[in-house]
Amino acid sequence: METTQVIQIEDAKPGEIGGIISGIDVKELKKEDPELAEIRNAIYRNKLVVIRNQSLEPEEYVAFTRVLGRPQVYFQENYHHPDYPEIFVSSNVNKEGEKVGVAGTGHYWHTDCQFEAKPLSFTSITPIVIPPTIRETRYIDMHEVYNKMPEDLKKIVEGATLIHGGNNRYKVTPDDIDKSIQQLIDKMNEMVPFVKHPAIIEHPVTGDKILYMSSGFTMKIDGLKHEENEEAMKKLFEFIEKEEHIHVHTWEKGDLIIWDNRYLLHMSSALPPGEKSKSYRIGIYDDLPFYVGLEK
């Protein structure tokens, strides 16, 4: 059955990110609906889209990601929704006597699953409990950063290969009690061994050149000595994380945000003590190579 919805897309202004999509209820979308291609193209074009006024039960959220692409099941079960493993729960709101999801996630610059051999294409997220004061996520457009880089920094990354790992961000679980730090490091190395990706990647749809590194997950520049690497990484991250490169999205009830991990670093905001926050996230593969030259 064809949808009768009229999708409205307001593209981001030049030099900014974030298109606004309205006039659509994603619960109604079917696999064959042309609106899905419009949403995917809006994500590639705007790097991030906000779909307004959505009210989704967990099963409806999962169903939408299945028609838009292929939902991810995150490799660590302690992040999973109790009934829908596709939903990654970031929350400090627990049921009585039961911890649900993980609190304090993503308070550092990164792209999701950068430490995997085939990183995650899109991240979608929707708030469930919005804190009363700080309600924002910060982003950096790494295509624009690459275009603005001074020549001395471009010389460091042109043709370079970067090594990424998630070890420093591992959150301990009840199963880790009595394990030593070395045992936890060994466990993480076995779960997600270090991977290598080009420092400059080419987007498979737009052809844009993008600097692919983050202070959260990029460990080193392949081939450099320790002191050389420390100096180069310091210069690069001081430039990347300049305030002028940061875009801020302030959350509203009913927002469903989807962004392209090829383009954007992101970082969640830390909560003031005592405030509650809960969000649902589903990673989505668009079934294209993450970058030109990488297999699907």
Side-chain angles (χ1 to χ4, degrees), residues 13-14 39 99 122 125 144 215 233 265 279 284 296:
K13 296 175 182 175
I39 293 172
K99 179 170 171 52
F122 299 157
I125 188 167
E144 288 300 319
S215 54
M233 297 271 274
L265 301 186
S279 62
I284 308 168
K296 289 199 287 185

Side-chain angles (χ1 to χ4, degrees), residues 43 47-49 61 65 68 72 88 110-113 119-126 137 139 251 256-262 264 266 280-286 290:
I43 297 168
K47 300 160 187 171
L48 175 150
V49 297
Y61 185 20
T65 61
L68 184 66
Q72 176 198 48
F88 175 113
H110 67 289
T111 79
D112 290 330
C113 302
L120 180 66
S121 317
F122 299 157
T123 294
S124 67
I125 188 167
T126 190
T137 303
Y139 297 90
W251 289 95
L256 172 60
I257 289 192
I258 310 172
W259 66 84
D260 189 338
N261 281 308
R262 303 171 176 97
L264 300 182
H266 67 280
Y280 286 168
R281 175 190 114 181
I282 302 182
I284 308 168
Y285 295 97
D286 60 5
F290 190 77

Side-chain angles (χ1 to χ4, degrees), residues 30-281:
K30 308 293 189 299
K31 196 82 175 177
E32 64 275 13
D33 286 339
E35 287 83 356
L36 293 165
E38 291 188 58
I39 293 172
R40 281 191 288 268
N41 288 333
I43 297 168
Y44 297 134
R45 192 167 63 246
N46 294 284
K47 300 160 187 171
L48 175 150
V49 297
V50 184
I51 307 178
R52 297 286 196 205
N53 303 316
Q54 302 303 304
S55 177
L56 298 169
E57 295 297 324
E59 64 271 26
E60 295 168 330
Y61 185 20
V62 174
F64 166 64
T65 61
R66 283 183 178 146
V67 297
L68 184 66
R70 179 166 53 90
Q72 176 198 48
V73 175
Y74 195 66
F75 71 98
Q76 289 178 278
E77 294 183 3
N78 53 318
Y79 289 85
H80 291 181
H81 185 286
D83 300 318
Y84 299 93
E86 297 90 344
I87 297 178
F88 175 113
V89 181
S90 178
S91 173
N92 65 359
V93 183
N94 298 319
K95 292 182 180 176
E96 186 175 352
E98 179 185 356
K99 179 170 171 52
V100 179
V102 176
T105 60
H107 298 329
Y108 51 88
W109 289 113
H110 67 289
T111 79
D112 290 330
C113 302
Q114 187 178 3
F115 47 78
E116 294 188 345
K118 294 181 179 177
L120 180 66
S121 317
F122 299 157
T123 294
S124 67
I125 188 167
T126 190
I128 305 301
V129 176
I130 297 180
T133 58
I134 298 175
R135 50 177 73 180
E136 63 184 34
T137 303
R138 314 180 97 200
Y139 297 90
I140 294 177
D141 180 347
M142 295 296 279
H143 170 60
E144 288 300 319
V145 165
Y146 175 66
N147 287 341
K148 294 175 180 175
M149 285 178 80
E151 286 304 313
D152 63 318
L153 293 186
K154 278 192 174 176
K155 285 180 182 176
I156 297 174
V157 295
E158 293 286 3
T161 298
L162 304 182
I163 298 173
H164 309 276
N167 309 48
N168 295 342
R169 306 297 174 177
Y170 177 74
K171 287 179 178 285
V172 296
T173 71
D175 293 339
D176 296 323
I177 293 176
D178 294 334
K179 288 190 172 67
S180 69
I181 296 296
Q182 187 58 55
Q183 285 175 307
L184 294 180
I185 292 171
D186 293 342
K187 174 183 174 180
M188 195 63 183
N189 284 340
E190 183 178 351
M191 291 170 69
V192 278
F194 290 168
V195 297
K196 296 182 180 182
H197 294 295
I200 311 300
I201 63 171
E202 180 178 343
H203 196 286
V205 176
T206 66
D208 284 340
K209 299 291 178 60
I210 302 164
L211 177 61
Y212 189 61
M213 65 187 304
S214 72
S215 54
F217 290 145
T218 303
M219 312 300 285
K220 66 172 296 188
I221 301 170
D222 197 19
L224 293 190
K225 295 178 181 177
H226 176 76
E227 292 78 9
E228 295 173 331
N229 181 69
E230 291 295 301
E231 181 180 1
M233 297 271 274
K234 182 174 185 293
K235 288 180 181 176
L236 287 163
F237 290 127
E238 283 180 350
F239 179 77
I240 291 167
E241 297 171 6
K242 282 185 171 183
E243 197 66 28
E244 67 199 58
H245 295 154
I246 297 172
H247 304 256
V248 178
H249 173 73
T250 302
W251 289 95
E252 300 292 342
K253 185 175 175 57
D255 282 356
L256 172 60
I257 289 192
I258 310 172
W259 66 84
D260 189 338
N261 281 308
R262 303 171 176 97
Y263 276 117
L264 300 182
L265 301 186
H266 67 280
M267 177 170 69
S268 61
S269 296
L271 283 178
E275 292 197 5
K276 298 296 184 185
S277 175
K278 181 178 182 180
S279 62
Y280 286 168
R281 175 190 114 181

